[in-house]
Each structure stands twice: as C-alpha cells, then as structure tokens.
Amino acid sequence: MLPRKNLFSFTSKDPSAFGIHLAAAAREHSVYFDEGLGVPVVLRGADVVAVLRDSETFSTRTYDTGIMKGALVTLGGEAHTRMRRLFNAVLSPRVISRYEEATVTPVARRVVERLVRKERAELFDDFAISMPMGVTSALFGLPEERIAENDALIRKMIRSVVMPQDPVVVAEGRSAHAAMEAQLREIAEREVAHPSDTLLGEIARAIVAEGLGGVEACEGVVLTLILGSYETTSWMLANLLVALLAHPDAMNQLRQQPSLLPQAIEESTRWCSSAAGIVRFVEREATIGGETLAAGTILYLSLIARHYDEEIYPRPETFDIHRRPVGMLNFGGGLHYCVGAPLARMEARVGVSLLLERFPALRADPTVQPTFSTAPRGAAAFGPDQIPALLV
Ligand code: HEM
C-alpha cells in the first residue's frame, strides 16, 4: 500500500518552497499515492530517470488522445525515431542560431520597447507571455495581426491536452483547433508546394526528404511546435524573472558579465522549475523505488524533487548563478527529452539580456507579493500568479 499524501496542490509566497517540500517528502519515500492528482507519483530523481530511460515499460500513450493524437511525444519505437530525426534536424542549436538575429531578437526588442514609457510593469503579461507568443508566431508563420486571437486558441488547445478528463475543456480545445486549422493548412500547403527561406521551409523540406508525407504531416509538425513551444517557454521566462527579481545582486552581476546568463538560466530552471511533472503509462508490471506498479497504472513523475536533492546540489535553496548545475529534469529525459530546449534557452537569453540592458533599474515591486502554485493562471506549470516590477 503506497503512502498517501497531497503533494501537488501547493501554494506559497516563496518560489523555492515547492522544491524544498517535495525533496523533504522524497527523503521519506520515493513513491506516493497523490490524493490531489489521484495517481501514484515518483519523486526521487534516480527513480524518475530510471522510468524515463525505460520507454518500453513506461510509455507515453496517455498523451495519445484528442488533438495530440499521433504527435511526436506519443510515439515510441521506430515511428518515434523517424519523426524525431526530423525535429532534431530543424531544431538543432546550429539551425536555431540562424533565427536568433533574424527573428528572435527583433521580437524581443519590440516587446521590450513597448515597456519603455511605463514606470511599473506586470512582467508576466508584458513580457513572459508576449515574447514567446511573438517568437512562436514569427517562426511558425502565424500572422502578427492575429496574435491575440491565436493566443486564446492555443491556450484552449493546451488546456485540453493537460485536462483530458474535463469534457468541456476538451470540447473547447477541439473547437479552438478547428478555428486554427485553416491557418495551419494554408501554411502547410504553401510551404510544401514552395518551401520558403524560413524555418517553416526547412521543416517542409525535411518532411519530404524523410518521406514522412506532405501537407498533412507538415500541418501536424507545425501544430506540435506551436503547442510545445509557447506556454512552456512563457513559464520558463516567468520563473527566470522571478529568480532574478528576488536576487538583485545576481541581476547586477549579469549586467556586468552577460556571459554568465546561460548558467543563470540553467540555475533558475533548477531553483524554480516551471515544469512540475509529466505522466507515463505502465505497460507491464514494474518495480520503482521498491514499489510494485501494476500494468495499466498512470504514473506522475516529479521533475522538481531532484533539483532540491542536497546530495546533488548542495544548499539547494540558494539561487547561485555560479553553480553551473547539470542533470536537471525540467526538459524531461530519455527518448522524449525536449527537442525545443535549445530554442527555449535562446529565447530566454536574448529576451532577458535585452530587458536587463534596457532597464538598468529593473527591480521587484515590493508592494505586491506574487503567489506561487502548481496551477498558476490555470496552467499546467509551477509559477507565479503575477510578476510585479518597477522599471525606473
Ligand atoms: C522552457 C520551455 C520548455 C519546457 C520546460 C519543455 C518541457 C518539455 C518536457 C518536460 C518534455 C518531455 C515530455 C515527456 O517526456 O512527457 C518536452 C518534450 C517536447 N518538447 Fe518541450 N519544453 C519547452 C520548450 C519547448 C519548445 C520551445 C519546443 C518547440 C519548439 C518544444 C517541443 C517539444 C516536443 C516536440 C517534445 C516531444 C519530444 C519527443 O517526444 O521526442 N518544447 N518538453
């Protein structure tokens, strides 16, 4: 019988409290039955890694429903290998770097410039959402004048993916998909017929070269990229800003030594990871953390408890931009390790360096205290409800 706890309905004013709370539970047991989630959860990093490495016993078939049907993350075996080759080819650091100057920097500059006349900002809406949405639209061919409309549709689709048990949310996701389908179809038809000199053109050419089909395959890949790249990057940016605003000394060091920014980004994903967990389906009876799990069990893997394991990261509650942390789980691991990690890291680096440069007095607004939770603004992430900041 698994020990029962309600570990994941968590709220605090302290961004590091969730990691501390999960690591404390992990010291007692690795596997619990979580009463809020209604499924067994695995906490200890070594056990989470073991599950991620064994994709035959622990599959991703739970995702294979609704608008996610057939998406990369749902595939296994040879089908995954072929499709993943395509994603690797178009999202490698080398390919992505071609879009830094041409696409990501101009979007980030526009978002930052919109803040210039303000004295205070709510950096979640004004930055952490607007920048990834701008980048996603620009990279994947969505028209700029429809950003607000598409933002609402994409969020409805994402909600339907993370709440497949709620029929109303699922129906909303389906109609949001239907509303966006004409745009996606138009993009795919255009690029497959005449691949452009953009990332979309690279995707269309790679689909044909890999023999993966034509317009329909291209539409599916673009939808996966839009859904995978948008909200995830927003919450990563949000928590990076939270970490920096809570540590003005670190922010000043980064202004003086911008080369530290990549490792500060890694440290923020350790100290306040936005990715709380992922799920797996137990294909055949297995033992994890000393517990036997029956075939057919849905398992929730904590991606955060490991980040506060003091055997791996001494003084885990300290945000230290000199730490150079490795082995974090915020981008998952094993077969399905996030293929968009280089793009997310680049967006964070470009966006935050422009923000720090443009606003030398940027600091937390001491009059408003954000609340951190496992469902901020209804999202499937760990993060703040708001990021109040003073700009001048
Ligand atoms: C900070 C931002 C991001 C975070 C925290 C994140 C997190 C993750 C995680 C945890 C997984 C593993 C899912 C699982 O194993 O169940 C994953 C997979 C994936 N991510 Fe990301 N992601 C981010 C950004 C992106 C971006 C920018 C893209 C696309 C451009 C993307 C596309 C994908 C795709 C396609 C997969 C499936 C990979 C596969 O199954 O082989 N992600 N991501």
Side-chain angles (χ1 to χ4, degrees), residues 52 60 63 72-74 80 84 87 91 140 224-225 228-229 232-233 236 274-275 278-280 303 329-333 335-341 343-344 347:
L52 291 175
T60 49
Y63 297 131
L72 177 65
V73 75
T74 69
H80 180 268
R84 176 77 190 210
F87 278 76
L91 291 171
F140 305 123
T224 296
L225 291 173
S229 68
T232 50
T233 311
M236 176 200 194
S274 54
I278 52 182
V279 291
R280 287 296 185 264
L303 300 180
L329 292 172
N330 57 299
F331 288 116
L335 195 69
H336 296 283
Y337 179 80
C338 178
V339 69
L343 175 60
E347 283 189 51

